[in-house]
């Protein structure tokens, strides 16, 4: 009778090649194939006949419910011209004590009974052995059925493995496994361990290369960790779901496992296996040594670490933590950078971040996720993280924990921890802060700018490009703290220079300002410099502290003020300033000569101003604005005015002048949207010391009115008669009106108001206003430019005869009218019906 079906377990120790490097992290620039580094002792084989051999290889022990299962591969080579009948042979497996173990073919191998000529067939078998069994304890007797021999069996050879045979791939070395009828070479590439009070968590990056000749479904490849005492721990390999690997293709997959803390300091082995569903047994087909199990060191502050993401090597690093502390909590911001070291782009991984304290508490950090974002080859991508921690937490003793986010098929797992360097960098006004090794940021001043209802705190920032090439203007902002309390009003940022880039060693200026109550007093001011992350969050960069606002430079009366903003360069001189007082009001009035210092026609820089007396009383001053472009070196006359309270000390005050930024508020929506001016912010201020108070002229010669000179003479009054009725009083006079030739443009339109005051019992008063040179809209009264001109001014009142009864003396007052301001510049007493020839 022929022999029985080959049914006993077969095993051998295969000579497995070793992988390139002994480190934990794969060099992303190594060869694209897994090289086997060194040969091991050759596999023993037994000759079945003159042309055929049988060998045992890939024997691996894996503990499971049935017991300790030894799975092995029988490799039969037939070099003959006829098929080899496997029913003529079988293998008996013996233990160290001589005990025989019953083997069984795997489901996929049980039907194989012949090996065709000039082929090799690999078959998988398994046997359940005693728990204490080692591979070196097993002996594989190859037996041929022989009816002439006792028991009809003839042993034709035996195979066993000494302790020097390599059965497990050394750490970070490769091993080829028989899987799904194909050959897959695998290697552990990265090993990362974290722990908490409950367990240790292992994250593995495992490299697979298909060295066979057909594609393979990787979803059937399983993994397990096994200790030296054969305790087995599940490994999550869900990342292999729905994945196939083509011949010659390489994939790096991520595996995770949770193990008891008692295993720390121990060695584990990573096993690959497949599930024989029919026999309900796990058949191990590979074994890979792992480093000693211990918590991995966190990446040093400002150091980088390569991590496999989507099978590609990505260099990662954590930046400095910036802390904005309050009494109960601290706002923290930091950057996390990723650089794809591969030659092709990959999708931006979905990551989760947390700041873990030395006590093990974790505070989540968030960031803005970009839809469809990718990591391009060799280009660093930085994501900004923000979050809140308890005020007592010290970020310098904490770690950044980075996790791959969970998906429908995979769990979340840690891919790295990073030590942190924290910064609450603090400087003073005038000090500098270096940002991104590119910009030197200096806070030139912090000022308080008076407004009609409230004041503004204004920080002026000067940014210098210290890199060797031009750079884009940085996106900066900030906020103020007064006496340690954050100012709640929104901070606004205004660029002072019309530029989008800064040349190497060039500078750029901007201001940040916030509204505060005019009643606010403080002992110290802090400006916190930030950079926006998204619409809702920002990152703190630096803090500039000052005990008070910056001192305003004091200028001499004839000293020129310069606006140096690119695109708005303008020189400004104060040509006139004084306080004018009448019986009913008190006004400040000044004029400035502004010159365009740009090389082409441009809108000159706007001027803002206020006056402040020796008692600290502040009066905002309105300054005319220029919206039209002015030619290079063109001169413009600007007017400034403001009404004073009666107690303002006009014998000791200062005029503060600075570059003006107009505040606007959006109005309307859609096509009707616009912006209404709501105030003026004064930046880069200087002060002129003043004590001038102009007396009202008592004649009408050489009256200076906004760039014009007006002289009146031969004044004569009469009653105005219309038909047979008296309807008012007329004032006739000759005049000269000339325009100053030194200005190309007069920014503000002035008017003249004539006031007639009768000295009779009723003190009847009449007023009428005239435009200069040409009539404004809605008016027909104006004084023409020229010499030896005559006009009649009529003060209408049909009841004048009832109000005036003496007709003796009267006074003519002349006012310079600017918007709503009426500044008395000349006043003279005259006599009814007598011509003034003075």
């Amino acid at each position: 009778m022929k022999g029985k079906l080959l049914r006993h377990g077969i095993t051998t120790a295969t000579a497995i090649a070793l992988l390139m490097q002994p480190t934990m992290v794969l060099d992303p620039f190594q060869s694209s194939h897994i090289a086997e580094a060194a040969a091991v002792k050759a596999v023993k084989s037994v000759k079945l006949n003159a042309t055929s051999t049988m060998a045992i290889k890939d024997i691996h022990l894996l503990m499971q419910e049935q017991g300790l299962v030894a799975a092995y591969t029988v490799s039969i080579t037939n070099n003959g011209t006829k098929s080899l009948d496997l029913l003529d042979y079988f293998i008996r497996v013996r233990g160290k004590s001589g005990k025989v173990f019953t083997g069984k073919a795997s489901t996929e191998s049980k039907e194989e009974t012949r090996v065709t000529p000039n082929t090799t067939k690999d078959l998988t078998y398994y046997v359940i052995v005693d728990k204490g069994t080692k591979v070196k304890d097993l002996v594989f007797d190859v037996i041929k059925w022989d009816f002439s021999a006792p028991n009809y069996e003839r042993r034709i050879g035996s195979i066993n493995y000494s302790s020097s045979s390599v059965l497990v791939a050394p750490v970070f070395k490769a091993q080829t496994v028989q899987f799904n009828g194909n050959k897959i070479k695998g290697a552990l590439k990265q090993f990362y361990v974290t722990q908490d009070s409950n367990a240790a968590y292992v994250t593995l990056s495992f490299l697979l290369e298909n060295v066979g000749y057909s594609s393979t479904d990787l979803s059937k490849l399983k993994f397990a960790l096994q200790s030296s005492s054969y305790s087995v721990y599940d490994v999550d390999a869900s990342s292999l779901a729905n994945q196939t690997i083509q011949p010659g293709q390489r994939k790096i997959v991520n595996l995770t496992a949770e193990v008891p803390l008692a295993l720390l300091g121990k060695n584990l082995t990573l096993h690959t296996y497949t599930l024989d569903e029919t026999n309900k047994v796990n058949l191990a087909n590979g074994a890979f040594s792992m480093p000693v199990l211990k918590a991995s060191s966190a990446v040093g502050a400002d150091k980088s670490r390569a991590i496999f993401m989507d099978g590609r090597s990505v260099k990662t690093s954590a930046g400095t933590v910036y802390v904005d502390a309050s009494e109960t909590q601290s706002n923290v911001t930091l950057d996390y950078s990723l650089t794809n070291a591969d030659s092709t782009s990959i999708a931006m991984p979905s990551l989760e971040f947390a700041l873990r304290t030395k006590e093990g508490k974790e505070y989540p950090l968030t960031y803005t996720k970009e839809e469809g974002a990718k990591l391009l080859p060799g280009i660093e991508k930085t994501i900004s993280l923000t979050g809140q921690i308890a005020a007592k937490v010290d970020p310098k003793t904490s770690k950044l924990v980075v996790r791959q986010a969970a998906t429908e098929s995979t769990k979340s797992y840690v891919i790295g921890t990073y030590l942190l360097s924290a910064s609450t960098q603090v400087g003073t006004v005038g000090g500098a802060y270096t940002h991104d090794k590119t910009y030197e940021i200096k806070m030139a001043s912090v000022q308080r700018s008076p407004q009609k209802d409230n004041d503004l705190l204004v920080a002026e920032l000067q940014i210098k490009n210290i890199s060797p090439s031009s750079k884009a203007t940085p996106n900066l902002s900030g906020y103020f703290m007064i006496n340690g309390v954050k100012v709640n009003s929104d901070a606004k940022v205004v660029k002072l220079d019309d530029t989008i880039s800064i040349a190497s060693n060039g500078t750029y200026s901007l201001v940040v300002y916030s509204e505060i109550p005019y009643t606010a007093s403080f002992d110290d001011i802090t400006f916190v410099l930030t950079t926006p992350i998204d619409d809702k969050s920002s990152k703190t960069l630096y803090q500039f502290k000052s005990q008070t606002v910056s001192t305003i430079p004091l200028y001499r009366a004839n000293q020129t003020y310069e606006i140096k903003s690119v695109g708005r360069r303008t020189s400004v001189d104060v040509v006139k300033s004084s306080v004018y007082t009448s019986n009913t009001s008190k006004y400040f009035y000044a004029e400035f000569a502004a010159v365009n210092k740009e090389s082409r026609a441009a809108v000159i820089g706007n001027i803002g101003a206020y006056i402040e007396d020796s008692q600290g009383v502040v009066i905002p001053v309105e300054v005319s604005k220029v919206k039209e472009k002015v030619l290079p070196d063109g001169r413009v006359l600007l007017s400034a005015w403001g009404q004073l309270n009666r107690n303002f000390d006009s014998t000791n005050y200062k005029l503060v002048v600075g570059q003006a930024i107009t505040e606007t508020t959006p109005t309307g929506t859609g096509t009707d949207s616009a912006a209404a001016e709501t105030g003026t912010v004064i930046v880069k201020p200087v002060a002129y010391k003043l004590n001038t108070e102009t007396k009202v002229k008592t004649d009408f010669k050489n009256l200076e009115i906004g760039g014009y000179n007006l002289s009146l003479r031969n004044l004569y009054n009469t009653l105005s008669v219309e038909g047979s009725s008296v309807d008012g009083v007329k004032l006739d006079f000759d005049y000269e009106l000339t325009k100053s030739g030194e200005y190309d443009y007069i920014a503000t339109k002035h008017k003249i108001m004539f006031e007639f005051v009768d000295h009779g019992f009723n003190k009847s008063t009449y007023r009428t206003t005239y435009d200069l040179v040409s009539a404004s809209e809605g008016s027909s009264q104006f004084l023409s430019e020229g010499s030896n001109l005559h006009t009649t001014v009529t003060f209408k009142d049909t009841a004048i005869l009832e109000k005036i009864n003496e007709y003796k003396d009267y006074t003519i007052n002349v006012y310079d009218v600017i918007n709503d301001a009426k500044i008395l510049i000349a006043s003279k007493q005259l006599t009814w019906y007598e011509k003034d020839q003075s």
Side-chain angles (χ1 to χ4, degrees):
M1 167 180 177
K2 276 265 190 181
K4 298 188 232 175
L5 176 67
L6 193 63
R7 63 187 182 274
H8 289 279
I10 303 172
T11 179
T12 184
T14 56
I16 303 302
L18 306 181
L19 200 59
M20 320 157 187
Q21 52 184 358
T23 59
M24 288 191 180
V25 180
L26 175 67
D27 185 345
F29 301 105
Q30 286 281 10
S31 167
S32 62
H33 296 283
I34 308 175
E36 293 185 333
V40 297
K41 183 174 289 188
V43 174
K44 295 180 180 180
S45 62
V46 172
K47 294 189 69 172
L48 300 180
N49 54 41
T51 59
S52 301
T53 60
M54 178 183 291
I56 308 296
K57 60 182 182 180
D58 295 343
I59 178 169
H60 297 289
L61 301 172
L62 184 63
M63 183 63 73
Q64 47 206 285
E65 288 184 6
Q66 297 92 326
L68 185 60
V69 176
Y72 45 91
T73 300
V74 177
S75 183
I76 304 106
T77 301
N78 178 11
N79 291 322
T81 59
K82 296 181 179 180
S83 293
L84 177 66
D85 190 352
L86 298 181
L87 298 178
D88 291 338
Y89 307 92
F90 70 94
I91 294 178
R92 179 179 290 120
V93 182
R94 293 182 286 120
K96 185 176 183 180
S97 63
K99 181 179 179 180
V100 176
F101 301 105
T102 301
K104 189 174 182 180
S106 68
T107 300
E108 66 178 11
S109 298
K110 65 186 300 184
E111 302 301 327
E112 301 287 346
T113 61
R114 308 188 74 81
V115 181
T116 57
N118 296 312
T119 62
T120 297
K121 189 177 290 292
D122 291 333
L123 305 175
T124 302
Y125 295 83
Y126 66 94
V127 61
I128 299 175
V129 299
D130 296 336
K131 183 177 179 180
T133 301
K134 306 295 184 183
V135 171
K136 65 181 180 179
D137 299 332
L138 298 177
V139 178
F140 300 86
D141 293 328
V142 182
I143 299 172
K144 182 176 182 181
W145 294 106
D146 186 349
F147 294 109
S148 64
N151 297 324
Y152 309 113
E153 299 176 1
R154 179 165 56 87
R155 188 175 67 178
I156 59 177
S158 296
I159 299 173
N160 71 316
Y161 290 85
S162 67
S163 59
S164 62
S165 298
V166 176
L167 299 173
V168 181
V171 178
F172 301 113
K173 302 299 181 179
Q175 185 179 88
T176 300
V177 301
Q178 297 289 329
F179 168 63
N180 203 23
N182 204 6
K183 291 183 179 181
I184 302 294
K185 190 181 291 184
L188 176 63
K189 302 309 296 176
Q190 202 170 67
F191 173 85
Y192 205 79
V193 180
T194 58
Q195 69 177 89
D196 57 23
S197 59
N198 300 315
Y201 307 91
V202 184
T203 300
L204 307 173
S205 293
F206 195 79
L207 180 59
L208 297 168
E209 181 180 357
N210 186 347
V211 293
Y213 298 99
S214 61
S215 63
T216 299
D217 180 4
L218 291 178
S219 63
K220 296 180 180 180
L221 185 62
K222 310 297 182 183
F223 294 82
L225 294 176
Q226 185 167 253
S227 69
S228 58
S229 60
Y230 295 122
S231 296
V232 176
Y233 303 92
D234 292 335
V235 171
D236 181 3
S238 53
S239 59
L240 293 178
N242 302 319
Q243 287 204 44
T244 59
I245 187 169
Q246 303 297 328
Q249 187 179 8
R250 305 168 75 235
K251 286 180 179 288
I252 295 179
V253 297
N254 291 310
L255 312 172
T256 59
E258 179 180 331
V259 298
L261 291 173
L263 290 179
L264 292 175
K266 306 291 180 61
N267 287 99
L268 297 178
T269 302
L270 176 67
H271 283 271
T272 57
Y273 69 90
T274 58
L275 171 62
D276 187 330
E277 295 183 358
T278 301
N279 296 312
K280 306 299 182 184
V281 65
N282 296 328
L283 302 178
N285 51 18
F288 303 84
S289 294
M290 289 175 42
V292 174
L293 194 68
K294 63 178 181 179
S296 303
S297 300
V299 181
D302 302 320
K303 303 294 183 182
S304 63
R305 173 176 181 259
I307 294 174
F308 288 105
M309 297 180 177
D310 195 20
R312 314 290 175 81
S313 180
V314 177
K315 186 175 74 172
T316 64
S317 62
T320 300
V321 180
Y322 293 95
V323 182
D324 179 12
S326 65
E327 292 184 4
T328 59
Q329 66 183 37
S330 296
N331 296 318
V332 295
T333 58
L334 74 152
D335 288 341
Y336 185 74
S337 299
L338 307 96
T339 304
N340 178 8
D342 204 271
S343 59
T344 57
S345 62
I346 61 174
M348 178 67 189
S350 179
L351 302 175
E352 295 174 339
F353 299 88
L355 189 145
R356 179 186 291 167
T357 69
K358 61 182 180 180
E359 294 82 17
K361 295 180 180 179
E362 288 196 2
Y363 295 89
L365 303 175
T366 61
Y367 66 101
T368 301
K369 297 181 180 180
E370 301 178 39
E371 190 72 26
K374 292 184 177 297
L375 293 179
L376 301 178
I379 298 179
E380 182 180 70
K381 185 174 185 62
T382 300
I383 53 180
S384 295
L385 311 176
T386 61
Q388 293 180 338
I389 60 176
K392 62 181 180 181
V393 172
D394 183 2
K396 290 183 288 187
T397 63
S398 303
K399 298 176 183 178
L400 174 67
V401 180
V402 184
R403 293 181 174 88
Q404 179 74 45
T407 66
E408 291 183 358
S409 59
T410 62
K411 297 179 180 178
S412 173
Y413 57 88
V414 174
I415 61 175
T417 57
Y418 303 79
L419 297 177
L420 300 172
S421 59
S423 175
T424 52
Q425 299 186 77
V426 178
T428 58
V429 175
Y433 156 71
T434 301
H435 177 52
D436 282 349
K437 300 179 181 179
T438 302
Y439 306 101
E440 183 182 81
I441 302 171
K442 177 181 179 181
M443 194 170 89
S445 67
V446 56
Q447 299 290 350
R448 185 169 186 164
S449 178
Q451 303 289 287
K452 290 181 179 179
D453 299 319
N454 286 309
D455 289 353
L456 298 176
L457 278 180
V458 184
E460 179 196 347
L461 302 177
Q462 294 178 351
I463 299 98
K464 181 179 181 181
N465 176 12
I466 58 176
S467 74
S469 59
S470 293
K471 296 294 181 181
T473 56
N475 191 7
L476 300 173
S477 185
Y479 60 88
F480 292 92
M481 292 194 298
I482 295 178
N483 298 335
V485 179
K486 182 178 180 181
V487 175
N488 290 326
S489 60
D490 292 337
K492 297 181 181 179
V493 181
V494 177
K495 299 177 180 180
L496 298 183
D497 295 307
D498 292 337
T499 181
I500 59 175
S501 63
I502 315 174
S504 178
N505 291 317
T507 58
Y508 164 81
S509 297
L510 60 82
V511 293
V512 183
Y513 63 90
S514 291
E515 186 178 88
I516 61 172
Y518 77 90
T519 56
S521 60
F522 38 80
D523 300 320
D524 65 81
I525 307 170
T526 298
F527 176 73
V528 182
L529 178 68
T530 66
T531 182
I533 295 174
D534 50 39
D535 293 338
K536 298 180 180 179
S537 58
S538 61
K539 177 171 67 177
T540 299
L541 300 178
Y542 200 77
Q543 295 183 12
F544 295 96
K545 288 184 175 292
S546 176
Q547 292 184 338
T548 184
V549 295
S550 303
T551 301
I552 297 176
L554 186 62
Y555 273 28
R556 301 183 305 274
N558 61 349
Q559 189 171 351
T560 300
Y561 174 69
E562 300 279 351
I563 295 177
K564 299 180 179 180
S565 298
V566 176
R568 296 291 179 93
R569 284 184 282 256
T570 308
S571 69
V572 180
D573 290 291
V574 181
V575 295
K576 179 180 181 181
S577 62
S578 190
V579 172
Y580 295 82
T581 303
S582 67
N583 292 330
T584 59
S585 60
K586 194 174 186 179
Y587 278 93
F588 170 81
Y589 178 78
E591 291 179 347
F592 305 102
V595 180
N596 175 20
K597 291 299 183 181
E598 292 290 337
S599 60
R600 62 182 62 190
V603 177
I604 63 173
N606 286 325
I607 293 296
Y610 65 87
I611 56 176
E612 182 178 356
D613 71 3
S614 58
Q615 305 301 315
V617 176
V618 174
I619 305 296
V621 172
E622 188 170 353
V623 183
S624 53
K625 294 179 175 60
V626 181
K627 298 181 179 179
E628 294 80 2
K629 289 185 177 181
V630 179
L631 293 173
D633 292 322
R635 291 174 63 84
V636 177
L637 180 67
L638 305 176
S639 298
W641 62 94
Q643 187 170 8
L644 312 180
N645 60 51
R646 303 296 296 180
N647 296 323
F648 186 88
D649 183 4
S650 55
T651 64
N652 184 11
Y653 66 100
K654 60 184 177 182
L655 168 65
V656 178
V657 176
Q659 183 176 352
I661 299 170
T662 302
E663 280 199 299
T664 60
T665 301
T667 60
T669 57
T671 57
D672 297 327
S673 63
E677 295 186 4
T678 56
T680 298
V681 184
I682 299 174
V683 301
K684 297 179 179 290
V686 301
Y688 293 89
K689 190 73 172 177
L690 302 176
N691 58 5
T692 53
E693 184 170 2
T694 299
K695 293 182 178 180
V696 176
K697 286 177 66 68
T698 56
D699 60 50
F700 300 128
K701 296 179 180 179
N702 298 318
L703 304 181
E704 294 182 355
I705 305 171
Y708 288 87
N709 186 282
L710 175 66
S711 292
L712 310 179
R713 66 179 184 276
N714 300 325
L715 283 82
Y716 177 74
N717 78 313
T718 61
L719 290 174
S720 173
V721 179
E722 183 70 26
S724 59
S725 301
V726 176
D727 63 354
V729 62
K730 295 189 299 183
L731 180 68
D732 284 87
F733 58 83
D734 299 322
Y735 71 94
E736 293 180 352
L737 180 64
T738 58
K739 181 181 179 182
S740 172
E742 62 178 308
Y743 299 109
D744 299 288
Y745 182 77
I746 297 175
T748 303
K749 189 175 182 63
H750 291 240
K751 296 183 180 183
I752 294 294
M753 186 178 76
F754 297 100
E755 183 179 61
F756 184 99
V757 181
D758 182 65
H759 290 189
F761 178 78
N762 292 319
K763 304 296 182 187
S764 298
T765 302
Y766 304 98
R767 301 180 185 89
T768 188
T769 302
Y770 277 67
D771 294 319
L772 297 180
V773 181
S774 61
S776 59
E777 184 177 353
S779 172
S780 60
Q781 299 185 144
F782 66 94
L783 298 180
S784 300
E785 184 176 0
S787 302
N788 298 318
L789 301 177
H790 180 83
T791 193
T792 299
V793 176
T794 302
F795 303 96
K796 291 289 186 179
D797 184 4
T798 56
I800 191 171
L801 296 179
E802 300 174 8
K803 298 177 181 178
I804 299 176
N805 48 27
E806 292 184 352
Y807 304 99
K808 290 183 178 180
D809 296 324
Y810 65 95
T811 295
I812 296 295
N813 294 323
V814 177
Y815 292 85
D816 181 1
V817 179
I818 318 164
N819 292 350
D820 294 331
K822 299 175 179 62
I823 302 171
L824 179 63
I825 57 176
S827 179
K828 187 173 184 179
Q829 181 175 321
L830 302 172
T831 302
W832 274 81
Y833 306 122
E834 290 184 8
K835 181 180 289 188
D836 176 29
Q837 297 181 341
S838 59

